[in-house]
Amino acid sequence: MNIDKDQIRMVIALFVVAIIAAGVTGLTDIFTRAPIAAAQKLALHQALQQVLPEHRNDPQAEVFSIEDTAIYPAKRANGELTGLAWEVVAPDGYSGSIRILVGVRPDASIQAIRITYHRETPGLGDGVTKNKPWLASFVDQTLTSKNWKVKKDGGDFDQFTGATITPRAVVKAVKAALEFFHSHHKIMLEQASKHSDIAHKEAGIE
Ligand SMILES: Cc1cc2nc3c(=O)[nH]c(=O)nc-3n(C[C@H](O)[C@H](O)[C@H](O)COP(=O)(O)O)c2cc1C
């Protein structure tokens, strides 16, 4: 078999291009990882500010986990818990999953909710992110204060004109968030105060 010089050159050239491409991809990953993580942290910080009651702590620094769910506690300067926030996923949006950050007070009432991820249609399903009165209709509610369905299904929450699927999915997921609190509130409140103790000890406060 005869391999001429041109073929060898071509193989070497392809090899060099592959090495350079792999290097560029690796470097891009290294240089973008930190900014992406920082942007995600900032976005979460802003969403937490919107759903949690007044607090002086950094909820992300005191995060703890219950059944694989990250729980962000809000506390006053004296360590008193004012609320907890966690994300729930509505798997049944019109265009796939919707992520919802739910802020709940220790008395099991909702402080606020915010959509953190969705791919719903602009002008239709994306009302769940933009419709302020609709978002406000969740504030102060508890598991028993509302019939947790959209009006079209006999419940208390509005659907939107031409878009029932998205609000239906969000209402169902927020209800599930309240049910999660109902069945785990003891351990959630315990864990929140334990973390407060650790933070106080680390800061040298007895
Ligand atoms: C292109 C297109 C995009 C749509 N986007 C949404 C959406 O984001 N959210 C939604 O609830 N419904 C959306 N709909 C409407 C739904 O198909 C459905 O008709 C509507 O939610 C009303 O549901 P109902 O008939 O069960 O009340 C969309 C429809 C079309 C044709």
Side-chain angles (χ1 to χ4, degrees):
M1 194 172 80
N2 264 342
I3 301 173
D4 65 27
K5 279 184 182 162
D6 278 352
Q7 279 175 317
I8 292 171
R9 269 196 216 106
M10 206 182 295
V11 168
I12 290 171
L14 275 174
F15 186 71
V16 169
V17 167
I19 296 272
I20 291 171
V24 169
T25 310
L27 283 176
T28 308
D29 183 51
I30 288 167
F31 285 117
T32 54
R33 205 178 301 162
I36 288 170
Q40 283 170 340
K41 193 166 186 251
L42 179 64
L44 179 60
H45 169 78
Q46 287 166 344
L48 286 168
Q49 291 301 111
Q50 291 178 46
V51 304
L52 282 170
E54 65 155 301
H55 58 278
R56 295 288 299 276
N57 68 323
D58 174 1
Q60 287 191 69
E62 291 188 51
V63 66
F64 60 93
S65 177
I66 306 277
E67 290 198 353
D68 292 335
T69 301
I71 316 278
Y72 300 93
K75 294 169 190 172
R76 293 206 171 88
N78 65 3
E80 184 197 342
L81 187 74
T82 58
L84 297 163
W86 63 97
E87 226 175 22
V88 283
V89 179
D92 42 5
Y94 181 81
S95 305
S97 293
I98 302 166
R99 301 185 77 86
I100 308 142
L101 190 66
V102 182
V104 176
R105 306 175 189 121
D107 71 358
S109 63
I110 291 180
Q111 171 77 13
I113 69 157
R114 285 293 179 277
I115 308 298
T116 47
Y117 173 83
H118 78 96
R119 284 181 297 151
E120 304 298 282
T121 314
L124 286 169
D126 80 338
V128 295
T129 66
K130 298 193 173 123
N131 188 325
K132 294 214 169 108
W134 189 80
L135 284 167
S137 70
F138 290 85
V139 175
D140 295 338
Q141 303 311 328
T142 65
L143 208 45
T144 52
S145 69
K146 287 272 181 200
N147 183 357
W148 287 85
K149 288 177 180 164
V150 292
K151 286 183 178 161
K152 208 168 187 175
D153 301 335
D156 289 334
F157 292 88
D158 284 333
Q159 57 278 334
F160 307 136
T161 309
T164 302
I165 294 165
T166 313
R168 180 186 282 141
V170 172
V171 168
K172 195 172 145 197
V174 176
K175 182 188 184 196
L178 290 179
E179 285 168 344
F180 183 81
F181 185 72
H182 184 75
S183 48
H184 296 86
H185 70 277
K186 200 162 168 267
I187 180 116
M188 287 166 93
L189 299 179
E190 258 171 38
Q191 287 284 321
S193 69
K194 195 188 280 178
H195 282 251
S196 186
D197 293 347
I198 293 165
H200 273 85
K201 284 212 178 87
E202 278 172 0
I205 305 163
E206 284 306 316

